[in-house]
Amino acid sequence: MPLLQLEVITPERPTVKTEATEVIAPGILGYLGILPGHAPLITPLKPGVVTYRRQDGGEERLAVSGGFLEAGPEHVVILADTAERAAEIDVERARRARERAEERLKNRPPGLDVARAEAALQRATARLKAAGAL
């Protein structure tokens, strides 16, 4: 079975370097799936969940907060602003962050940076989804 070489890199550290049979990532126009043999592609990513399938059929998830994906027939490289493996996510902290962002967007206090609050909501939601808590 053909495999993809997957690398997920953040400014702080390489997060993932493995082989995968499939990668699903949050492109800015929606989720996209990459299989071995994929045509070359570069696309921005929005906050969301990157899912990849291992050769043994298992699945791994990471929360990313945006970045870029570069794919080819044999590889996928994700340059993410941040990336957290599901097991690394503090679910309670993500829930609190989501609640704060929802509250800000609901009440719209004076001087609210709406784009920043929406981005915080998207990041917290991605973290909860990656951790299986949503």
Side-chain angles (χ1 to χ4, degrees):
M1 168 183 284
L3 296 172
L4 293 164
Q5 298 299 315
L6 171 63
E7 286 188 77
V8 179
I9 303 164
T10 68
E12 287 85 35
R13 64 188 168 111
T15 304
V16 172
K17 186 170 186 173
T18 191
E19 294 181 328
T21 60
E22 176 183 18
V23 177
I24 301 168
I28 60 168
L29 297 177
Y31 276 83
L32 58 136
I34 310 291
L35 296 170
H38 199 282
L41 166 76
I42 296 177
T43 186
L45 297 176
K46 66 180 182 179
V49 179
V50 171
T51 304
Y52 63 92
R53 293 196 194 337
R54 298 184 312 259
Q55 191 172 8
D56 66 6
E59 185 176 281
E60 300 287 335
R61 292 181 302 213
L62 301 113
V64 297
S65 62
F68 290 89
L69 175 142
E70 190 255 327
E74 299 172 349
H75 73 278
V76 175
V77 177
I78 295 174
L79 302 174
D81 298 330
T82 64
E84 292 177 272
R85 294 174 183 267
E88 298 171 339
I89 295 170
D90 180 338
V91 172
E92 285 310 311
R93 182 173 172 240
R95 279 194 179 116
R96 288 190 307 269
R98 185 170 189 240
E99 289 168 3
R100 280 191 310 272
E102 287 173 336
E103 187 67 25
R104 282 189 210 116
L105 289 168
K106 179 181 173 188
N107 294 330
R108 306 268 175 156
L112 174 70
D113 184 338
V114 174
R116 185 174 174 191
E118 288 173 346
L121 178 61
Q122 290 174 350
R123 286 190 307 271
T125 300
R127 293 176 75 224
L128 290 168
K129 285 182 180 178
L134 235 190

